[in-house]
Amino acid sequence: MRKRRDDDFLEVEETGFFIELKKNWLAIVIVLALLGGGYVVFGPDAAPPPPPAVSENWQAMEPPRPLRNFSLTTAAGNVNRISDYYGRPKIVMGYQLECEECRRSLVTLDMIAPELRGQVDIFPLAISTRSTPLTELIQREYDEAGITHLRPYTITQDASEGVFNRNALPFTLITDPNNMIVRYHGGAGNWNDERVMQLLSELTEVERTR
């Protein structure tokens, strides 16, 4: 009986697996290509582009007009008038919960909030069809988005009439310290914007020199 040499084993291996691989290489390439295409088609969606800077699309209110004296509900359940907050410039944003554009704008507003603390009042107002505040739902959305510097305010749909354009939410108003509207902006916007900060600084400085 002939002893099997190592090269006999290699020959058997080659005539088995490797020959089959050579025969079917085209089918293997096609399968791999389909799998790669499937990842492109069914893979995770690309992240949406960041919203444009607010100052690219904001509008000047000419001449400035007074902000309507609407009611809002605080996190503590107190109902206040916007005129109760007087003496500082304001950013007043009307938005809806579960609105992706609104959330993206709130996230960028949250980024600048620490820098504006004590100088500019920020009112993100969730528009509600209920008579009760949306505090818990707002806070849940804040937690999911990583928003930590904004307070949860609610405004009823009736109170928001004539204040915000509800066809262009989020809709935001910038006021001077006397609650006169100087800029307005509809749609998603990046509030981490040099020109926004410059305007707010100018409004704050005017109040200081009075």
PDB file of all heavy atoms in Angstrom, residues 4 7 53 87 98 105 108 117 157 183 195 208:
ATOM      1  N   ARG A   4       0.337   7.757   1.884  1.00  0.00           N
ATOM      2  CA  ARG A   4      -0.151   9.051   1.397  1.00  0.00           C
ATOM      3  C   ARG A   4       0.821  10.136   1.797  1.00  0.00           C
ATOM      4  O   ARG A   4       1.202  10.260   2.957  1.00  0.00           O
ATOM      5  CB  ARG A   4      -1.526   9.363   1.988  1.00  0.00           C
ATOM      6  CG  ARG A   4      -2.171  10.563   1.305  1.00  0.00           C
ATOM      7  CD  ARG A   4      -3.500  10.884   1.914  1.00  0.00           C
ATOM      8  NE  ARG A   4      -3.293  11.459   3.246  1.00  0.00           N
ATOM      9  CZ  ARG A   4      -4.287  12.006   3.953  1.00  0.00           C
ATOM     10  NH1 ARG A   4      -5.510  11.972   3.482  1.00  0.00           N
ATOM     11  NH2 ARG A   4      -4.051  12.511   5.140  1.00  0.00           N
ATOM     12  N   ASP A   7       1.661  15.985  -0.095  1.00  0.00           N
ATOM     13  CA  ASP A   7       1.205  16.661  -1.304  1.00  0.00           C
ATOM     14  C   ASP A   7      -0.011  15.986  -1.902  1.00  0.00           C
ATOM     15  O   ASP A   7      -0.776  16.586  -2.635  1.00  0.00           O
ATOM     16  CB  ASP A   7       2.322  16.783  -2.337  1.00  0.00           C
ATOM     17  CG  ASP A   7       2.944  15.427  -2.677  1.00  0.00           C
ATOM     18  OD1 ASP A   7       2.562  14.446  -2.028  1.00  0.00           O
ATOM     19  OD2 ASP A   7       3.777  15.388  -3.600  1.00  0.00           O
ATOM     20  N   ALA A  53     -28.871  78.760   8.815  1.00  0.00           N
ATOM     21  CA  ALA A  53     -28.791  79.779   9.862  1.00  0.00           C
ATOM     22  C   ALA A  53     -30.061  80.629   9.837  1.00  0.00           C
ATOM     23  O   ALA A  53     -30.590  80.957   8.764  1.00  0.00           O
ATOM     24  CB  ALA A  53     -27.561  80.657   9.654  1.00  0.00           C
ATOM     25  N   GLY A  87     -38.636  93.902  30.097  1.00  0.00           N
ATOM     26  CA  GLY A  87     -37.338  94.506  30.367  1.00  0.00           C
ATOM     27  C   GLY A  87     -36.153  93.816  29.709  1.00  0.00           C
ATOM     28  O   GLY A  87     -35.024  94.296  29.825  1.00  0.00           O
ATOM     29  N   GLU A  98     -43.515  66.413  18.482  1.00  0.00           N
ATOM     30  CA  GLU A  98     -43.349  65.387  17.448  1.00  0.00           C
ATOM     31  C   GLU A  98     -43.219  65.999  16.057  1.00  0.00           C
ATOM     32  O   GLU A  98     -43.667  65.436  15.058  1.00  0.00           O
ATOM     33  CB  GLU A  98     -44.491  64.371  17.489  1.00  0.00           C
ATOM     34  CG  GLU A  98     -44.589  63.634  18.825  1.00  0.00           C
ATOM     35  CD  GLU A  98     -45.703  62.611  18.847  1.00  0.00           C
ATOM     36  OE1 GLU A  98     -46.449  62.520  17.853  1.00  0.00           O
ATOM     37  OE2 GLU A  98     -45.817  61.905  19.862  1.00  0.00           O
ATOM     38  N   SER A 105     -34.709  72.784  15.603  1.00  0.00           N
ATOM     39  CA  SER A 105     -34.560  74.200  15.975  1.00  0.00           C
ATOM     40  C   SER A 105     -34.399  74.356  17.486  1.00  0.00           C
ATOM     41  O   SER A 105     -33.578  75.161  17.953  1.00  0.00           O
ATOM     42  CB  SER A 105     -35.766  74.999  15.489  1.00  0.00           C
ATOM     43  OG  SER A 105     -35.830  75.009  14.084  1.00  0.00           O
ATOM     44  N   THR A 108     -30.797  73.605  18.638  1.00  0.00           N
ATOM     45  CA  THR A 108     -29.820  74.679  18.429  1.00  0.00           C
ATOM     46  C   THR A 108     -30.114  75.874  19.338  1.00  0.00           C
ATOM     47  O   THR A 108     -29.192  76.579  19.754  1.00  0.00           O
ATOM     48  CB  THR A 108     -29.783  75.126  16.952  1.00  0.00           C
ATOM     49  OG1 THR A 108     -31.051  75.662  16.564  1.00  0.00           O
ATOM     50  CG2 THR A 108     -29.441  73.950  16.050  1.00  0.00           C
ATOM     51  N   ARG A 117     -28.390  83.523  29.175  1.00  0.00           N
ATOM     52  CA  ARG A 117     -29.044  83.534  30.488  1.00  0.00           C
ATOM     53  C   ARG A 117     -28.834  84.877  31.201  1.00  0.00           C
ATOM     54  O   ARG A 117     -27.728  85.401  31.272  1.00  0.00           O
ATOM     55  CB  ARG A 117     -28.500  82.389  31.349  1.00  0.00           C
ATOM     56  CG  ARG A 117     -29.224  82.262  32.698  1.00  0.00           C
ATOM     57  CD  ARG A 117     -28.737  81.056  33.470  1.00  0.00           C
ATOM     58  NE  ARG A 117     -29.169  79.824  32.830  1.00  0.00           N
ATOM     59  CZ  ARG A 117     -28.334  78.903  32.348  1.00  0.00           C
ATOM     60  NH1 ARG A 117     -27.028  79.092  32.404  1.00  0.00           N
ATOM     61  NH2 ARG A 117     -28.813  77.811  31.795  1.00  0.00           N
ATOM     62  N   GLN A 157     -53.988  76.483  21.551  1.00  0.00           N
ATOM     63  CA  GLN A 157     -54.140  76.803  20.129  1.00  0.00           C
ATOM     64  C   GLN A 157     -54.878  78.124  19.944  1.00  0.00           C
ATOM     65  O   GLN A 157     -54.516  78.934  19.084  1.00  0.00           O
ATOM     66  CB  GLN A 157     -54.886  75.668  19.427  1.00  0.00           C
ATOM     67  CG  GLN A 157     -54.939  75.802  17.920  1.00  0.00           C
ATOM     68  CD  GLN A 157     -55.383  74.520  17.267  1.00  0.00           C
ATOM     69  OE1 GLN A 157     -54.658  73.544  17.245  1.00  0.00           O
ATOM     70  NE2 GLN A 157     -56.602  74.517  16.750  1.00  0.00           N
ATOM     71  N   ARG A 183     -37.798  91.007  14.542  1.00  0.00           N
ATOM     72  CA  ARG A 183     -37.519  89.977  13.541  1.00  0.00           C
ATOM     73  C   ARG A 183     -38.509  88.827  13.718  1.00  0.00           C
ATOM     74  O   ARG A 183     -38.979  88.559  14.829  1.00  0.00           O
ATOM     75  CB  ARG A 183     -36.102  89.412  13.671  1.00  0.00           C
ATOM     76  CG  ARG A 183     -34.963  90.364  13.430  1.00  0.00           C
ATOM     77  CD  ARG A 183     -34.780  90.683  11.950  1.00  0.00           C
ATOM     78  NE  ARG A 183     -33.543  91.411  11.733  1.00  0.00           N
ATOM     79  CZ  ARG A 183     -33.381  92.706  11.979  1.00  0.00           C
ATOM     80  NH1 ARG A 183     -34.383  93.416  12.481  1.00  0.00           N
ATOM     81  NH2 ARG A 183     -32.211  93.306  11.737  1.00  0.00           N
ATOM     82  N   ARG A 195     -25.055  86.184  13.532  1.00  0.00           N
ATOM     83  CA  ARG A 195     -25.855  87.407  13.342  1.00  0.00           C
ATOM     84  C   ARG A 195     -26.999  87.490  14.346  1.00  0.00           C
ATOM     85  O   ARG A 195     -27.383  88.581  14.771  1.00  0.00           O
ATOM     86  CB  ARG A 195     -26.385  87.467  11.913  1.00  0.00           C
ATOM     87  CG  ARG A 195     -25.307  87.766  10.876  1.00  0.00           C
ATOM     88  CD  ARG A 195     -25.906  87.860   9.489  1.00  0.00           C
ATOM     89  NE  ARG A 195     -26.832  88.974   9.383  1.00  0.00           N
ATOM     90  CZ  ARG A 195     -27.732  89.106   8.392  1.00  0.00           C
ATOM     91  NH1 ARG A 195     -27.820  88.182   7.454  1.00  0.00           N
ATOM     92  NH2 ARG A 195     -28.532  90.146   8.355  1.00  0.00           N
ATOM     93  N   ARG A 208     -29.426  98.629  28.275  1.00  0.00           N
ATOM     94  CA  ARG A 208     -28.485  98.991  29.336  1.00  0.00           C
ATOM     95  C   ARG A 208     -28.173 100.480  29.338  1.00  0.00           C
ATOM     96  O   ARG A 208     -27.904 101.082  30.359  1.00  0.00           O
ATOM     97  CB  ARG A 208     -27.172  98.223  29.156  1.00  0.00           C
ATOM     98  CG  ARG A 208     -27.263  96.752  29.579  1.00  0.00           C
ATOM     99  CD  ARG A 208     -25.958  96.071  29.287  1.00  0.00           C
ATOM    100  NE  ARG A 208     -26.011  94.656  29.620  1.00  0.00           N
ATOM    101  CZ  ARG A 208     -25.119  93.770  29.208  1.00  0.00           C
ATOM    102  NH1 ARG A 208     -24.113  94.152  28.430  1.00  0.00           N
ATOM    103  NH2 ARG A 208     -25.212  92.513  29.565  1.00  0.00           N
TER     104      ARG A 208
END
